[in-house]
Amino acid sequence: MGVAAKKITVGKVLIYFFTTMAAAFCLLPLLLMVIVSFTSEQAIVHNGYSFFPAELSLDAYKTLFENGAEVARCYINSVGVTAVGTILAVMVTSMASYSLVTPTVRYRNGIAMFFFITMVFNGGMVPWYMICNKVGLTESYLALLIPNLIFSPFNLFLVRNYMREIPISLMESAKLDGANDGQIAFRIYFPLCKPILATVGLFYGIAYWNDWWNSIMLVSNSKMYTIQYYLMKLKSDLNFMRNLQGGGIGGGFPPSESLQMATAVVTIGPLILLYPFLQKYIVKGLVIGGVKG
Amino acid sequence: MHKKKYTLLTDIRRNKVAYAMLIPAALYTIIFGYCTIPYMVIAFQKFSYKKGIFGSDWVGLSNFRFFFGSQDAGRIIANTLKLNLLFIFFTIVAAVALAIMINEIRNRHFKKVAQSTYLLPYFLSWVIVNYILYGIIGSKYGLLNRVIEFFGGTAINFYNAPQYWTIILVVAKVWKDLGMNTVIYLATLVGFDDELYDAAAVSGATRWQMCWKITLPMLMPTVIMLGIMSIGKIFYGDFGMIYALVGDNGVLYNATDVIDTYVFRLLRTTGNPSQAMAVSLFQAVMGFICVWGTNYIAKKKFEEGALF
């Protein structure tokens, strides 16, 4: 680029200005949430939410860790469901993908179509809800694990497209050596597919962690609430109380503004911790799988 | 001796293990995919949970007549289409502009940090976004109202004012999806041949001209493809988003109610599965036509653009 690139031009200044503004647009709302969670309740009541609170405080987090048995239980539910669900989902997806690239399976394209059709045409939420009831997927952890989340054809095609790039001679020579499809899949194919399995694992993991649909539709026992559903219910209960009492909240001890935000912040904790991986593998996966999926 | 026909059964017999590995995914697809299709008949019934889909009384098209005869139909269909079109348009414009600008930046660190920042909201759930939104537009403590008051205005109770919600939803959507879309376009841009730019530079083109004459045209196929794919899904409202942000706040329905939230209410609040199914069936058929139609266009325009 040489000298020309070093010159400061109006265009360059504008580009840096707009890209920085966009970054602020994305980051500041999140930052507000974090700051509010560290703001003392008085400061919020007097001045509202602010990036520059009058008084900082750890009270919200203290309350959360001392009296947060309910939050903790929901959090553990979410962690458990996410961990188990992600592992199962990746297994289900990768095993099916292997079958779809095995050349001796002559009906593989038909089977791919079989998976694809329900992606574009299905009965929607009404039959889905009835079927979940019919097969007994309600009021249990299985109801949080299986419906909706454990398998996505989109991820199936992502993994299949990746597996197609593996030289077929590998499979053929392993078969000559007497290995069966299960051994080939688990010992050769899956280890070779680690990057794409990481990608779909993260897709599944985020879907599980962020899910509240299964909770709202299938679970009414508050012991099984996930953290997302807890947060959602908390908000709507508070709104309900506010409407009922015309502004003031009386009776009981609804969580303070900062406590609500602290709970929300704690909920995004794992995402922030995993963020470097998320970014790396999701971007990679998108490039590999193409936008087409 | 006649040769046996090669059927699915032959295929299964010869590839027992491979087929066994398909079972979980196939079971899932059959139960939650294919088994939903026969249930569609309840749209033509007065469904009762006791009698089931075989025993319930048939009522012909009355569920459809009821829906299309109500004022809800026009409102929720219009809202679904309007919101989706706005989402698609603004996300694409913002993401393309941002991708082109990021592509012009030579500072690798800045590029990386910027991209990471844009992508962050994508991973949050809409429930969390609702908390953030409340922090901004909440009537009592919200940041925006404090800014309005600071400049001498009167605070607005946004949760009571549907007229603002189209724009609120569009901003929230762009906020969440901007990063992912920008990354997709950037991934497309990375594949471009540098020689083109070098040649353009040699013949005296400015960066600005290169943007318009090289970068933008090369991005267009991806833009159009993603746009077409989104239009294929135009009859499906973003339930997760709208229910998380609006919930059961009936005051806002005029601006925010979409087909999916309406079906959800019919099913869970009103408790009328037959009507819910009728609306849902209408959506599924329109949705299928859109996917099929857009795929047909994609196939004609670019060979690799089609889904099937």
Side-chain angles (χ1 to χ4, degrees), chain A residues 48-60:
Chain A
Y49 289 179
S50 163
F51 282 107
F52 310 101
E55 192 190 346
L56 288 172
S57 139
L58 285 171
D59 284 353

Side-chain angles (χ1 to χ4, degrees), chain A residues 71-101:
Chain A
V71 174
R73 193 177 52 220
C74 298
Y75 206 83
I76 291 166
N77 284 343
S78 277
V79 171
V81 167
T82 304
V84 176
T86 306
I87 291 167
L88 288 177
V90 170
M91 289 277 288
V92 171
T93 308
S94 52
M95 288 195 310
S97 307
Y98 174 82
S99 304
L100 291 186
V101 295

Side-chain angles (χ1 to χ4, degrees), chain A residues 158 194-204 281-282 284-286:
Chain A
L158 218 55
K194 264 184 203 153
I196 197 71
L197 293 184
T199 304
V200 297
L202 288 167
F203 276 136
Y204 280 125
Y281 284 108
I282 298 258
K284 221 187 225 170
L286 281 173

Side-chain angles (χ1 to χ4, degrees), chain B residues 26-203:
Chain B
L27 264 181
Y28 177 90
T29 308
I30 290 168
I31 296 174
F32 296 103
Y34 288 98
C35 284
T36 62
I37 292 172
Y39 277 86
M40 287 177 165
V41 298
I42 69 172
F44 307 98
Q45 296 176 333
K46 186 177 171 8
F47 182 77
S48 96
Y49 283 96
K50 259 192 216 138
K51 294 179 186 164
I53 57 171
F54 299 109
S56 295
D57 303 326
W58 295 89
V59 293
L61 292 173
S62 80
N63 290 316
F64 293 91
R65 237 177 267 132
F66 181 85
F67 171 63
F68 287 107
S70 71
Q71 350 162 302
D72 298 336
R75 184 188 67 179
I76 64 167
I77 295 168
N79 274 342
T80 310
L81 299 181
K82 182 179 77 183
L83 284 173
N84 278 337
L85 282 174
L86 289 171
F87 290 165
I88 296 167
F89 177 77
F90 281 102
T91 311
I92 286 180
V93 169
V96 166
L98 204 53
I100 290 176
M101 286 194 281
I102 289 287
N103 193 49
E104 289 297 308
I105 287 172
R106 296 277 155 251
N107 184 334
R108 275 169 169 262
H109 279 290
F110 184 89
K111 246 177 161 168
K112 217 172 166 191
V113 172
Q115 278 188 68
S116 308
T117 315
Y118 302 149
L119 205 52
L120 203 51
Y122 181 78
F123 298 109
L124 305 180
S125 73
W126 283 112
V127 175
I128 299 288
V129 177
N130 183 35
Y131 276 73
I132 296 173
L133 186 67
Y134 173 79
I136 296 169
I137 64 167
S139 49
K140 215 167 167 193
Y141 305 122
L143 191 68
L144 192 55
N145 270 330
R146 292 190 44 251
V147 173
I148 292 173
E149 277 171 344
F150 179 82
F151 286 108
T154 14
I156 301 163
N157 189 353
F158 286 101
Y159 286 96
N160 228 337
Q163 68 269 31
Y164 298 107
W165 275 79
T166 306
I167 186 162
I168 290 173
L169 292 177
V170 171
V171 172
K173 185 73 168 185
V174 171
W175 183 73
K176 200 162 179 292
D177 283 358
L178 178 64
M180 195 45 127
N181 282 277
T182 305
V183 165
I184 291 173
Y185 293 128
L186 274 171
T188 321
L189 284 175
V190 169
F192 290 170
D193 205 343
D194 277 342
E195 278 175 28
L196 263 173
Y197 290 95
D198 291 343
V202 167
S203 37

